Amino acid sequence: MPHSSFGAYSIRAQIPPELDNETALLKYLGVSADELKKIWWFRVRMYHQFEIAKGKDKTRTITAPDERLKYLQRQIAPLLDQLYRVRNPVHGFVDGKSVKTNALTHLRKRFVLNIDLKSFFPSITENRVIGLLEALGIDNCVASITARLCCYNSHLPQGAPTSPVLSNMICFRLDRELLAFAKGTRCIYTRYADDITFSSHQPMAALFEGSAPPSGHFSPDLLIPALRNTFASNGFTINPHKAHYADRHSRRMVTGLKVNELLNVDRRYVRNIRAALYSVETLGKAAAQTKFASNHGGTSDLGAYLQGKITWLRFIRGQSDPVFRAIAVRFNASFPDRKIEVTPTADEVRDRAVWVVEYCEGEGEKLKTLQGSGFFLKDVGLVTAAHCVEGVDEVEVHHPSKPANKFKATVVKRDKDRDLAILEHTIPATEYFQLNGATQAVAVGDELTAVGYPGFGPGDRVNVREGKVSSLATKHAVELIEVTQKLSQGMSGGPLLNSDNAVVGVIHKGGPDEGRDFAVRIEMLNTWLAE
């Protein structure tokens, strides 16, 4: 069985035996010669077409095969998967990848270029599919049968199970050439089906004739000939209405997601969900459904529509996101039969329970920001280390997911000897989670997790450090936990957690300049609050 690379294409394994010859293929599919003949001449009758909403006043035509043909295509698709070697920039129709992974590749890049390929599936003809399969070493007869079973009106139909992998195989050379082009111009390149994106920290003047255009839509003719010829030589045309360039001062979108600072949906997406929920809450389900159908042409059930939109919001922003949680709670109240899960995982609780605590000290050139960590403890409030709020009565706290959304917090209780402090705040309950205090004391050898923000800077996420209890010490009547992990500056005030994600201590001091790393035992906090 042949296995190699042929011209523009590459396979990653031997050609499956099911594709060795016509007899093997038909036996694998369970198709007789008579049935193949009928499909060969009357396959158009085995499809039906329908429109789906693509956006405001736009639709997409889906060409879906009937059950028999769909079954055959589903049998063929795994064979084609064995022939396709996925390239790193490809995110569409690939297991483990999505529009989210595609957008994350370009997160925080200052300049983004979006290109859309015009009539993507129709431009992939039946003859191109046959040529592709033959180039991979597949017999002409098998290639023709496969292409015939997978194409409609001599091109790939959008709606067939085999079209995704075949389109990626056809684009193998395009991806290779664009990836090389991106590397040569110091850009990042990805492709999700027909959506192509380049991004960079620097203006992408090398992609344009002359200087880069201003932010917004631009004519593809402004691209350098080498880039335009790459698309043309691969049988594709750039959609002139969907070429967009964004700079660092504008909103940067990749496959419908914002990539400026944090991955996010467009603001209008959330606004529309809230508006629909408001209609349900004020008008009732029946009237809201009528309004939905009248104003937006919605033909589906409003509850199912909202459930899908909110589930997508959760996928992008995460289950612990306060915007998602607030919307999901409203939805669940209106549609109790369609409840969306809002219970966070242990990691999500930990992430949303630990915040950054900071305040400024000095003036003018001597002004500096001092930073530590804090966490929300059930039945107690916002806890930090006393030395993180030394000499001040008010600090700012924020979560790194929203660095610009800072809240004032007031020190209402402080114990310098125990190095503990309690902060009063007005942070909405949907913005944070609370950790539970441990009910069992720790012992030497226990595995513990330290959580905080050492040397916090913009873009940093919560730092998690694993270790063990090396000793239980008492200094100046304060019971301490010594751990094996380094508790660097900035982690002070953060929680020390046991295997149940419960707080056993408040991080006290440590790091490379300290000989030992300590946390104050949670029992000290309980004793202090009971006094």
Side-chain angles (χ1 to χ4, degrees):
M1 283 175 267
H3 63 286
S4 180
S5 60
F6 296 78
Y9 307 103
S10 176
I11 57 178
R12 64 183 181 187
Q14 292 183 332
I15 294 175
E18 295 86 352
L19 296 177
D20 266 350
N21 52 64
E22 179 180 354
T23 301
L25 176 60
L26 296 185
K27 181 179 179 180
Y28 167 72
L29 295 176
V31 173
S32 66
D34 287 341
E35 184 182 11
L36 176 63
K37 187 175 181 179
K38 290 180 180 178
I39 296 174
W40 192 274
W41 295 110
F42 302 108
R43 60 176 171 165
V44 173
R45 301 179 185 178
M46 302 179 75
Y47 287 89
H48 68 282
Q49 292 185 322
F50 58 92
E51 306 289 327
I52 62 172
K54 189 179 177 180
K56 187 176 181 181
D57 301 325
K58 295 181 181 179
T59 60
R60 174 182 281 118
T61 300
I62 299 298
T63 304
D66 65 14
E67 289 303 315
R68 176 56 177 166
L69 189 55
K70 182 184 294 184
Y71 169 80
L72 297 178
Q73 291 170 350
R74 283 177 173 165
Q75 295 296 103
I76 293 172
L79 304 180
L80 299 175
D81 285 333
Q82 295 180 49
L83 298 175
Y84 175 57
R85 177 164 60 87
V86 180
R87 303 194 73 94
N88 287 335
V90 180
H91 291 259
F93 319 126
V94 175
D95 287 343
K97 293 188 176 183
S98 62
V99 295
K100 184 176 181 178
T101 62
N102 185 56
L104 281 171
T105 306
H106 305 280
L107 187 64
R108 300 190 188 94
K109 299 300 186 294
R110 295 185 174 184
F111 299 87
V112 175
L113 171 67
N114 297 115
I115 294 172
D116 184 86
L117 300 181
K118 185 178 181 180
S119 302
F120 180 61
F121 285 105
S123 66
I124 301 176
T125 64
E126 188 170 332
N127 286 336
R128 290 183 72 181
V129 174
I130 294 173
L132 161 72
L133 297 176
E134 289 180 340
L136 295 176
I138 293 176
D139 174 77
N140 172 264
C141 183
V142 174
S144 297
I145 293 172
T146 302
R148 194 75 175 178
L149 292 174
C150 298
C151 291
Y152 166 83
N153 276 347
S154 299
H155 65 261
L156 283 187
Q158 186 165 355
T162 45
S163 292
V165 64
L166 282 171
S167 66
N168 277 343
M169 293 171 73
I170 287 288
C171 289
F172 187 89
R173 186 179 72 179
L174 174 69
D175 293 324
R176 184 184 64 190
E177 293 176 358
L178 291 181
L179 180 60
F181 187 87
K183 289 181 177 179
T185 54
R186 296 184 178 182
C187 294
I188 301 295
Y189 160 71
T190 65
R191 179 179 63 83
Y192 189 94
D194 56 351
D195 286 318
I196 288 171
T197 305
F198 293 92
S199 69
S200 176
H201 286 298
Q202 303 297 327
M204 289 185 279
L207 276 62
F208 296 93
E209 290 192 274
S211 59
S215 181
H217 292 285
F218 67 90
S219 170
D221 293 337
L222 297 179
L223 296 170
I224 60 172
L227 185 55
R228 284 184 279 124
N229 292 338
T230 298
F231 291 106
S233 64
N234 281 279
F236 295 106
T237 303
I238 299 174
N239 189 331
H241 305 295
K242 292 187 177 181
H244 188 274
Y245 183 68
D247 60 24
R248 57 187 173 183
H249 302 299
S250 58
R251 182 181 62 174
R252 301 183 289 283
M253 303 287 292
V254 176
T255 44
L257 299 174
K258 291 171 66 175
V259 295
N260 286 33
E261 292 297 332
L262 298 168
L263 194 66
N264 202 356
V265 297
D266 186 79
R267 185 180 304 171
R268 289 169 294 185
Y269 187 93
V270 174
R271 187 184 302 146
N272 290 339
I273 294 176
R274 286 173 172 158
L277 284 174
Y278 180 76
S279 293
V280 173
E281 293 162 348
T282 56
L283 303 177
K285 292 181 185 178
Q289 178 70 52
T290 302
K291 181 180 178 181
F292 174 61
S294 174
N295 294 353
H296 307 288
T299 56
S300 64
D301 176 73
L302 180 56
Y305 170 81
L306 284 173
Q307 185 180 35
K309 301 281 279 188
I310 298 171
T311 301
W312 174 251
L313 181 67
R314 176 178 62 185
F315 174 66
I316 299 302
R317 298 186 63 142
Q319 188 150 291
S320 63
D321 178 73
V323 173
F324 158 72
R325 291 173 60 209
I327 287 176
V329 168
R330 290 176 61 187
F331 175 84
N332 290 344
S334 296
F335 298 92
D337 57 326
R338 294 182 176 274
K339 280 195 173 182
I340 296 174
E341 180 60 57
V342 293
T343 302
T345 65
D347 287 349
E348 289 170 335
V349 170
R350 183 179 64 191
D351 176 78
R352 274 281 164 182
V354 185
W355 286 44
V356 178
V357 177
E358 62 185 19
Y359 65 94
C360 293
E361 181 180 79
E363 296 180 357
E365 296 181 355
K366 295 183 179 180
L367 181 67
K368 61 179 180 179
T369 300
L370 301 178
Q371 172 262 319
S373 303
F375 63 95
F376 294 88
L377 183 62
K378 189 175 181 181
D379 299 326
V380 175
L382 182 53
V383 179
T384 188
H387 76 265
C388 292
V389 292
E390 186 174 359
V392 295
D393 294 324
E394 188 176 78
V395 295
E396 285 187 331
V397 294
H398 71 271
H399 192 270
S401 63
K402 291 184 178 180
N405 196 12
K406 297 187 177 182
F407 299 89
K408 298 290 185 182
T410 304
V411 181
V412 293
K413 198 172 181 62
R414 178 175 12 217
D415 188 317
K416 185 176 181 180
D417 294 331
R418 295 184 177 97
D419 196 24
L420 298 170
I422 306 296
L423 308 180
E424 188 178 77
H425 63 88
T426 57
I427 305 172
T430 53
E431 293 283 339
Y432 62 87
F433 289 134
Q434 300 180 87
L435 296 168
N436 292 312
T439 56
Q440 292 185 336
V442 295
V444 174
D446 285 355
E447 295 185 351
L448 300 179
T449 303
V451 187
Y453 295 97
F456 177 77
D460 287 351
R461 301 191 66 178
V462 68
N463 192 275
V464 179
R465 301 187 179 185
E466 306 291 341
K468 294 184 177 181
V469 179
S470 57
S471 73
L472 298 173
T474 301
K475 291 189 175 183
H476 308 293
V478 178
E479 297 177 7
L480 302 172
I481 304 171
E482 183 179 3
V483 294
T484 58
Q485 62 263 59
K486 282 297 175 186
L487 305 178
S488 302
Q489 185 176 2
M491 296 188 77
S492 296
L496 191 64
L497 306 171
N498 63 17
S499 58
D500 294 325
N501 218 38
V503 181
V504 297
V506 181
I507 298 175
H508 173 49
K509 69 174 183 177
D513 297 329
E514 297 283 348
R516 304 168 75 181
D517 299 85
F518 289 106
V520 178
R521 293 179 66 169
I522 193 67
E523 288 84 354
M524 291 286 94
L525 176 63
N526 296 334
T527 300
W528 175 45
L529 295 176
E531 291 177 352

